[in-house]
Amino acid sequence: MLIKNPEQIRASEITPEAIYLDRRRFIQRGIGTALLTAIPASLASAASRYSTTEELTRLKDITRYNNFYEFGTSKGSPGIHAGALSTHPWSITVSGACEHPGNYDLADLIKAAEVEERIYRLRCVEAWSMVIPWQGVPMGKILKRFAPTSKARYVAFRTLLRPAEMPGQRRDILPWPYREGLRMDEAMHPLTLIATGLYGKPLPNQNGAPIRLVVPWKYGFKSIKSIVSIEFTESEPPTTWNLQGPDHYGFYANVNPAVDHPRWSQKKERRIGDIFKRPTLPFNGYAKEVASLYTGMDLRKHY
Ligand code: MTE
């Protein structure tokens, strides 16, 4: 896997990263958030118990090394082309087995006051990884408002279909629109996040603006970007990469170093920015939190 040569970093990119790192040092030294008057309130929240303290991946890498096939298949394409996507206004259609289906405006769905910070590892099936400081709302909090019924066993998500602004959708790269899904208990798990920002700023388009899913114990392809539809279903919903390669990409896609992908060994990963590979951890290091969701399941079969 080739990593692009470092480019000039724009000042607008340096600022939030520097503020972020300063803030983390303050919090780690226990100085507290009250002193951080120069920093917006949204950045000054206390660290979540779900956040890792590992070194953050640089903003430049998070926003220049992407998978977002709607904007092309190379890692640099989303950073170049996604700026053309218009994300205002943005509404989300909620349907299926719930008491409050409808068309919701994004601002009504995500209240600024509820947004929290989560620093998570992201592990791509292509054997690279990052550490990303997300802002967002636990998915369960949002889903509860739609009052899913007892028939809701899964949640299905869809990305925007807009070939005029998404050049990749004019080509037969994947079955569009991009679809993903989770079992209800996975969607309601406190680690599962609807992200609205990273590094204290609204989500860059290439990272899935204005909202994307983040499921840190699963391979990155489960973390669907630019969501416009949420549907509660009784049966397991079809998902894009599983449709594309049923033998290669399962519905569950839990990070599992014991099950290799035909193209990539999953035993190790390269943290973007590092030279040497590191071992990949079961459930991407979140086994304590999520392994019990899969008790009794053969995770070689349900890959
Ligand atoms: N969502 C959509 N709609 N389209 C995509 O191509 N790629 C997935 C996931 N979500 C993808 C997507 C893959 S393979 C990964 S690894 C992550 O997004 C990458 O997220 P990042 O670019 O923010 O690191």
Side-chain angles (χ1 to χ4, degrees), residues 66-70 122 124 159 178 207 212 220-221 223 225:
N66 298 103
N67 277 334
F68 199 170
Y69 279 18
E70 285 85 340
L122 175 84
C124 178
T159 293
Y178 196 99
N207 295 95
R212 61 92 60 85
F221 66 85
S223 294
K225 298 176 170 182

Side-chain angles (χ1 to χ4, degrees), residues 149-165:
T149 66
S150 57
K151 286 194 167 159
R153 294 185 53 227
Y154 295 87
V155 202
F157 305 95
R158 258 189 238 178
T159 293
L160 176 74
L161 181 66
R162 194 185 285 163
E165 289 180 1

